[in-house]
Amino acid sequence: MLTVQDICVAYGQVQALFGVSFSVSPGEILCLMGRNGAGKTTVLKSVMNHLPLISGRVSLDDTVISDLPAERIPRLGIGYIPQGRRLFAELTVDENLEVGLMARGLGRATKEQVLELFPRLRERMRQQASTLSGGEQQMLALARAFCVEPRVLLLDEPTEGLQPSMIELIRDVVVRKKRDNVAIVLVEQRVDAVISIADRVAFIEDGRSRETVRASALEDDHDRLSRYLGV
């Protein structure tokens, strides 16, 4: 289980998170929702220790990972797909995957499993990442994260700007990882996508945890969605 407990984070002198807490279990999809600027991306960066905590802690089972250097986090089996993908643009598809494999010292067997999920990438192994379409780049970002054989996946707006067919593919892959008992934290603004695949939704407002509800309960709860999302 990934547990985020009362974390406070600042960008320099500006505090961004004020005691955010949640947990996600293996085989569960937890969605973080809130308006733009609420702190959702900051939460994921904090879990990966890209931002130091002022207080609080992040744990994976019995290991306090917020005490570890950032480069150690993927070695524990935490895959991170940041907003904007953050690929190595000048490297090929194959080289980007190799970077993912290096995090935990994994090899060909893991790569083959990943390419079975994304057969289009197999056709582009020698192609430079910067020359891929937006949807293919998102596939590669997911595939690279899957190369750590993750126990936990952190996804930040994975369907942003993609066409419907690509959104459906990504949705299917995420659901498959859930079935493989991976714990998933998903930042997503598309309410219809969240309700269809998430188990629970944790609302964040102004850098603070507000409430966590079953995703299915939001289907007809327009008041709550309006309160936290302004929709």
Side-chain angles (χ1 to χ4, degrees), residues 12-87:
Q13 299 299 312
V14 180
Q15 190 164 343
L17 298 182
F18 303 83
V20 170
S21 297
F22 62 84
S23 64
V24 59
S25 300
E28 180 184 29
I29 298 177
L30 174 74
C31 182
L32 302 183
M33 297 192 79
R35 294 182 178 86
N36 290 336
K40 306 180 298 296
T41 293
T42 300
V43 170
L44 299 192
K45 288 180 178 179
S46 301
V47 171
M48 297 302 295
N49 219 357
H50 293 172
L51 292 169
L53 304 184
I54 299 172
S55 60
R57 68 180 190 173
V58 181
S59 303
L60 181 61
D61 296 331
D62 296 326
T63 302
V64 180
I65 65 175
S66 47
D67 291 341
L68 302 176
E71 63 269 20
R72 289 277 306 278
I73 307 301
R75 298 178 197 172
L76 299 175
I78 300 182
Y80 176 40
I81 300 94
Q83 189 176 26
R85 303 164 191 135
R86 303 290 179 85
L87 299 171

Side-chain angles (χ1 to χ4, degrees), residues 24-25 27-31 174-175 178 184 186 197-200:
V24 59
S25 300
E28 180 184 29
I29 298 177
L30 174 74
C31 182
V174 170
V175 169
K178 173 187 172 179
I184 298 168
L186 170 66
I197 68 172
D199 296 288
R200 293 182 297 134

